[in-house]
Amino acid sequence: MADPREESEPLLSRTRGGSARHTPAGVPSCHSVQVGPGAVARRDLCLDQAVVFIEDAIQYRSINHRVDARSLWLCRRYYSSTSQWTLSFTIFLILALAFIETPSSLTSTSDVRYRPAPWEPPCGLTEGVEALCLLVFAADVSVKSYLVGWAQFRKNPWLLAYLVVLLVSLVDWTVSLSLICQEPVRVRRLLRPFFLMQNSSMMKKTLKCIRWSLPEMASIGLLLAAHLCLFTMLGMLLFPGEKDDRRDRQRLTYFRNLPEALTSLLVLLTTANNPDVMIPAYSKNRLYAIFFIAFTLIGSLFLMNLLTAIIYNQFRGYLMKSLQTSLLRRRLGIRAAYKVLSSMTAEGGAHPEGVGVKPQDFLQVLQKVQLDSDHKQAITEKLHSRSGDLLSADEFQKLFDEFDKRVIKEHPPRPEYRSQFLQSAQFLFGHHYFDYLGNLMALGNLVTICVFLVLDAHVLPKDRDDFVLGILNCVFILYYLLEMLLKVFALGLRGYLVSCSNVFDGLLTAVLLVLEISTLAVYRFPHPGWKPEALGLLSLWDVTRLVNVLIAFRFLRIIPSMELMAVVASTILDLIRNMRAFGGILAVAYYVFAIIGVTLFRGVIVAPGNSSLAPDNGSAPCGSFEQLEYWTNNFDDFAAALVTLWDVMVVNNWQVFLDAFRRYAGPWSKIYFVLWWLVSSVIWVNLFLALILENFLHKWDRRSHLQSLTGDLGATSEVTVELLFRDVLEEPTEEELTEKLSHHPHLQLCR
């Protein structure tokens, strides 16, 4: 008999009426060996297959991988939390090398006037760390390639690109060592973000959606370009300038030639230089304002918002297509697990094909699945609540709907007191009105701090009398401590800790209490004229500021008490949870543009007095790079480049950067900054806006499909990207699932 671990065996093939005509000779199916050690091995193999298929479904992974015993063992080890954390840390490490590599970012400031010589790592240090990272990536691509098989590997563009990036990085790494780290350009730095993208399926989907949306974005982009070119030509004709007129010479700063006119209107499209660009012409004739108002109305208020609407609509449509694929992957994984387990049920031919799954087999599989205990318990309870011996395909599928539900833990029971007085006190201090009183006290504390900040705004810290504020802070902190103790009395310690708001309050109260006790121990009790000398690490004023900051943070406890604020806050929290893919795309863009910026513009910004291009602040034009002292915004190292790109993305005064780098580096530098503006401010910000709108609208609609899934209103506070669009996705049909499973490259089904 063939080795039961052979990957080529038909896992779900079975005989009809006890015959083996549908099973290849010498290859046992999951249940063909009914007695002996082989039966145990085959049963364990089927259980392991079901476990892996279910884990694939949970993580929306493809099931098109090898399913023999050795491959299943390797698959589970590869997707274990330890392996994935190791891979994630390796990706973080290789990306973080850019801060240490030459040019190093290890300085206290990036200001070219005061920046000291940074510490540069010796040749071979960062290269050694990079070599270890490349070895981890080589092992990663090897395991992935083995699991999917050679046929699937050749069809997977991401795996092929993974291999190419590794080879190019290795060649470039070898060149660096051969040139003793003196090479002018390191190509592999630009390729490092690929390791981040290929490790996230959601980032791949997002990138694919952006690529699919580019044609629609390009159409409105061409309309914007036509609008920009038309008004540029009109501006050149309307504002030719006359040499003997001072106001015309002012206008020449914006329309002195075609590139400058185009740049001025492009910046005006973002309203960054409004009304500066209009004032010189408007000061001569008020009718010239019509030109700039028409340009802004058409470009900024109409076309740019139209671009936002198109990006939102197109990206949402393409994202739903990708999420439809994710839903299909989940259904396929669950159906494959059902097929494997149902084949075990039909052992001995006592039941017809696909009759169902034994609950005990399902529970055995569930115990092995990598899933949190709360969801396991919810699925187990749902299984026990049903009637019947065997699970049908539909029942099996519905069990896994618990994945999409937020498990709501039962609130621990309150302490039981026999005394009538204690019971009344428990009711009083456990009531939500007591929370309102706490919010009112927190508001009062914040108001007192604001009052003293206003009164002492013009007083130096050393001359301030903190007696009254110190007394008030002591009183409020004692109240916070009393409130915490009373809530513990009313709710019990477990009941108090089950609420995130209470944990937040309690933690800050404990920190405030420690600070207050430390202050009293060092500086004694407050008294009139309380201005002691600084003792220890912090002065009295520093301690007071820290206490006031913590009190201000504690005021955030009011958010859950206000419905609208709670919806907004929960939307923000959901965005943070679901921003890994969208934030990852932006991080990749930042990384690539920062590396390109360091390569192109390193050293072009020089300190004043070191070059004729860098005049002193006194002689620099008003509003220029030099006059505004933007010396910290440069590309002399990776960290400085990231901050500079952030400042440009915000588009406030980004015309200053365009002008400065045009003078220091050349007019071609504008291409770099305009491309960054398109990628960050136009594309990514609009995608982010689309995600915010979809998430908030879903939260605001209390009758959404998610409420019907979870069965309670509070469960809408946690939403994944997949679940956000679940109500508009189509469930795969039975025929589609069967067809996909029949074409599995490593799973053979008898039809």
Side-chain angles (χ1 to χ4, degrees):
M1 184 176 66
D3 186 357
R5 294 175 180 265
E6 286 295 327
E7 190 270 334
S8 60
E9 59 193 358
L11 300 175
L12 299 182
S13 60
R14 62 184 302 273
T15 61
R16 294 184 179 183
S19 66
R21 61 187 179 185
H22 294 286
T23 304
V27 182
S29 65
C30 278
H31 58 277
S32 57
V33 182
Q34 300 176 11
V35 293
V40 177
R42 295 302 301 163
R43 176 180 173 81
D44 291 341
L45 177 60
C46 290
L47 293 176
D48 290 340
Q49 289 167 0
V51 168
V52 171
F53 285 146
I54 292 174
E55 290 177 348
D56 290 339
I58 295 173
Q59 301 298 329
Y60 297 99
R61 296 195 299 255
S62 172
I63 64 172
N64 293 333
H65 52 72
R66 298 176 186 267
V67 287
D68 60 283
R70 182 175 58 182
S71 298
L72 293 174
W73 178 87
L74 180 62
C75 184
R76 297 204 71 196
R77 296 303 177 273
Y78 174 77
Y79 287 112
S80 65
S81 57
T82 302
S83 298
Q84 292 304 304
W85 272 106
T86 302
L87 184 58
S88 299
F89 176 76
T90 304
I91 294 172
F92 167 79
L93 188 61
I94 198 170
L95 291 176
L97 288 178
F99 293 96
I100 304 175
E101 294 173 326
T102 304
S104 173
S105 303
L106 301 179
T107 56
S108 59
T109 178
S110 61
D111 195 316
V112 296
R113 298 170 297 178
Y114 316 119
R115 185 174 188 258
W119 174 82
E120 301 291 351
C123 182
L125 178 61
T126 57
E127 287 74 15
V129 176
E130 189 173 10
L132 294 177
C133 295
L134 293 178
L135 286 176
V136 174
F137 295 139
D140 179 49
V141 71
S142 300
V143 172
K144 285 182 176 179
S145 303
Y146 170 78
L147 290 177
V148 301
W150 174 246
Q152 293 295 313
F153 175 79
R154 290 180 299 174
K155 299 177 183 178
N156 193 319
W158 281 99
L159 287 180
L160 293 174
Y162 198 175
L163 185 60
V164 171
V165 168
L166 275 177
L167 293 176
V168 173
S169 300
L170 181 60
V171 171
D172 191 60
W173 180 83
T174 306
V175 172
S176 294
L177 289 184
S178 62
L179 296 178
I180 319 178
C181 307
Q182 298 299 320
E183 75 282 11
V185 179
R186 296 186 179 183
V187 179
R188 64 184 184 276
R189 288 184 178 180
L190 292 173
L191 302 178
R192 288 173 183 170
F194 177 84
F195 301 126
L196 176 64
M197 289 191 298
Q198 65 82 29
N199 194 50
S200 171
S201 60
M202 196 62 203
M203 281 185 64
K204 295 176 186 177
K205 291 183 176 65
T206 305
L207 194 63
K208 184 184 294 184
C209 294
I210 294 175
R211 179 170 57 85
W212 285 344
S213 303
L214 284 179
E216 287 76 13
M217 296 181 195
S219 62
I220 192 66
L222 290 176
L223 191 58
L224 271 171
H227 165 73
L228 191 62
C229 292
L230 175 62
F231 274 83
T232 299
M233 290 186 291
L234 290 176
M236 293 292 293
L237 294 173
L238 289 173
F239 314 121
E242 300 175 6
K243 295 183 179 180
D244 59 347
D245 192 331
R246 181 179 61 85
R247 287 175 296 184
D248 285 339
R249 286 199 302 270
Q250 269 189 301
R251 293 203 303 274
L252 284 174
T253 60
Y254 298 107
F255 293 94
R256 63 173 174 262
N257 54 48
L258 187 62
E260 288 299 323
L262 192 64
T263 302
S264 298
L265 291 182
L266 177 63
V267 175
L268 181 59
L269 199 63
T270 65
T271 69
N273 60 350
N274 184 66
D276 299 353
V277 69
M278 181 183 71
I279 292 301
Y282 180 60
S283 63
K284 184 176 183 180
N285 192 322
R286 67 177 71 240
L287 293 179
Y288 283 139
I290 299 175
F291 170 84
F292 296 98
I293 293 174
F295 176 83
T296 304
L297 280 175
I298 298 173
S300 301
L301 302 182
F302 179 71
L303 292 180
M304 291 299 290
N305 288 320
L306 181 61
L307 177 63
T308 301
I310 290 177
I311 291 177
Y312 171 73
N313 184 62
Q314 295 297 327
F315 181 77
R316 187 179 189 273
Y318 290 127
L319 182 61
M320 282 193 294
K321 290 182 180 179
S322 296
L323 296 179
Q324 186 72 51
T325 304
S326 297
L327 180 61
L328 177 61
R329 284 185 172 185
R330 169 164 287 189
R331 297 297 183 251
L332 276 175
I334 295 174
R335 181 54 59 91
Y338 172 80
K339 288 290 186 181
V340 170
L341 294 177
S342 63
S343 67
M344 297 170 53
T345 306
E347 182 175 327
H351 302 280
E353 172 70 26
V355 67
V357 174
K358 295 179 180 179
Q360 56 268 31
D361 291 340
F362 173 76
L363 290 175
Q364 189 174 354
V365 168
L366 185 63
Q367 295 305 315
K368 296 183 178 181
V369 172
Q370 294 181 4
L371 186 64
D372 61 272
S373 57
D374 293 331
H375 281 94
K376 282 186 178 180
Q377 182 179 357
I379 294 174
T380 304
E381 291 176 356
K382 189 172 182 179
L383 176 65
H384 290 158
S385 65
R386 59 172 295 278
S387 59
D389 295 333
L390 299 178
L391 290 168
S392 65
D394 185 58
E395 291 175 328
F396 191 83
Q397 170 61 54
K398 288 181 178 179
L399 288 175
F400 292 97
D401 289 340
E402 300 296 326
F403 291 157
D404 297 329
K405 299 181 181 179
R406 181 174 67 96
V407 177
I408 303 175
K409 299 180 179 180
E410 294 184 1
H411 198 284
R414 294 188 177 189
E416 296 182 0
Y417 300 104
R418 296 182 179 180
S419 170
Q420 186 66 32
F421 173 77
L422 294 180
Q423 291 178 1
S424 301
Q426 182 184 32
F427 173 79
L428 179 64
F429 299 125
H431 200 276
H432 61 272
Y433 283 162
F434 188 62
D435 290 332
Y436 295 158
L437 177 61
N439 293 339
L440 185 63
M441 294 293 291
L443 178 61
N445 195 356
L446 200 63
V447 169
T448 59
I449 293 174
C450 293
V451 169
F452 279 94
L453 287 177
V454 172
L455 295 177
D456 296 339
H458 302 291
V459 181
L460 294 177
K462 64 179 182 179
D463 298 327
R464 292 183 178 180
D465 187 352
D466 294 319
F467 167 66
V468 178
L469 184 60
I471 291 294
L472 289 176
N473 280 345
C474 284
V475 172
F476 280 113
I477 291 174
L478 288 176
Y479 173 81
Y480 298 152
L481 177 62
L482 179 63
E483 180 189 22
M484 180 180 69
L485 295 177
L486 290 176
K487 283 188 175 181
V488 172
F489 160 77
L491 305 176
L493 182 60
R494 291 181 57 194
Y496 179 84
L497 295 177
V498 79
S499 171
C500 295
S501 177
N502 288 338
V503 173
F504 178 76
D505 278 352
L507 181 61
L508 287 183
T509 300
V511 175
L512 287 171
L513 185 63
V514 170
L515 285 175
E516 194 65 27
I517 293 175
S518 302
T519 303
L520 295 178
V522 175
Y523 296 105
R524 306 307 177 189
F525 197 78
H527 54 80
W530 192 41
K531 295 181 289 186
E533 297 293 332
L535 299 174
L537 297 176
L538 298 175
S539 66
L540 177 62
W541 171 239
D542 293 332
V543 175
T544 303
R545 285 193 303 169
L546 182 57
V547 168
N548 292 339
V549 168
L550 294 176
I551 290 173
F553 270 109
R554 192 180 182 277
F555 184 69
L556 295 177
R557 58 171 282 169
I558 199 174
I559 291 178
S561 303
M562 303 179 65
E563 182 179 356
L564 179 58
M565 289 180 64
V567 172
V568 174
S570 62
T571 301
I572 294 174
L573 291 177
D574 279 340
L575 287 174
I576 294 174
R577 297 187 189 101
N578 298 321
M579 274 300 293
R580 287 182 296 177
F582 294 90
I585 295 294
L586 183 63
V588 168
Y590 261 99
Y591 199 98
V592 171
F593 272 85
I595 293 296
I596 295 175
V598 171
T599 304
L600 296 177
F601 306 119
R602 180 188 176 190
V604 300
I605 300 295
V606 293
N610 295 343
S611 172
S612 59
L613 294 176
D616 293 333
N617 292 349
S619 60
C622 182
S624 65
F625 186 90
E626 294 81 10
Q627 189 270 332
L628 294 172
E629 296 188 347
Y630 282 3
W631 301 109
T632 53
N633 291 288
N634 54 67
F635 290 90
D636 289 350
D637 58 69
F638 184 75
L642 293 177
V643 176
T644 303
L645 290 175
W646 170 263
D647 291 337
V648 175
M649 188 184 79
V650 177
V651 300
N652 185 33
N653 272 357
W654 74 299
Q655 73 276 9
V656 176
F657 297 92
L658 291 174
D659 175 69
F661 282 91
R662 176 191 61 81
R663 291 186 283 108
Y664 285 106
W668 55 267
S669 61
K670 293 182 180 179
I671 301 175
Y672 171 86
F673 288 101
V674 171
L675 285 176
W676 171 245
W677 168 71
L678 288 173
V679 170
S680 60
S681 296
V682 176
I683 297 178
W684 189 87
V685 170
N686 281 294
L687 293 179
F688 183 61
L689 179 60
L691 182 63
I692 290 178
L693 287 173
E694 197 64 38
N695 206 327
F696 182 77
L697 292 176
H698 187 84
K699 287 282 186 179
W700 193 254
D701 185 9
R702 295 291 183 170
R703 295 170 298 178
S704 63
H705 180 64
L706 179 62
Q707 181 181 351
S708 64
L709 281 177
T710 54
D712 73 288
L713 195 61
T716 60
S717 61
E718 291 187 9
V719 184
T720 62
V721 174
E722 289 84 2
L723 190 55
L724 185 64
F725 295 94
R726 178 62 56 82
D727 55 342
V728 293
L729 297 179
E730 296 181 1
E731 284 288 338
T733 63
E734 184 72 22
E735 294 75 14
E736 187 177 4
L737 292 175
T738 303
E739 181 69 17
K740 291 289 185 180
L741 284 176
S742 65
H743 289 88
H744 192 288
H746 308 285
L747 184 65
Q748 299 180 17
L749 298 173
C750 279
R751 291 170 291 175

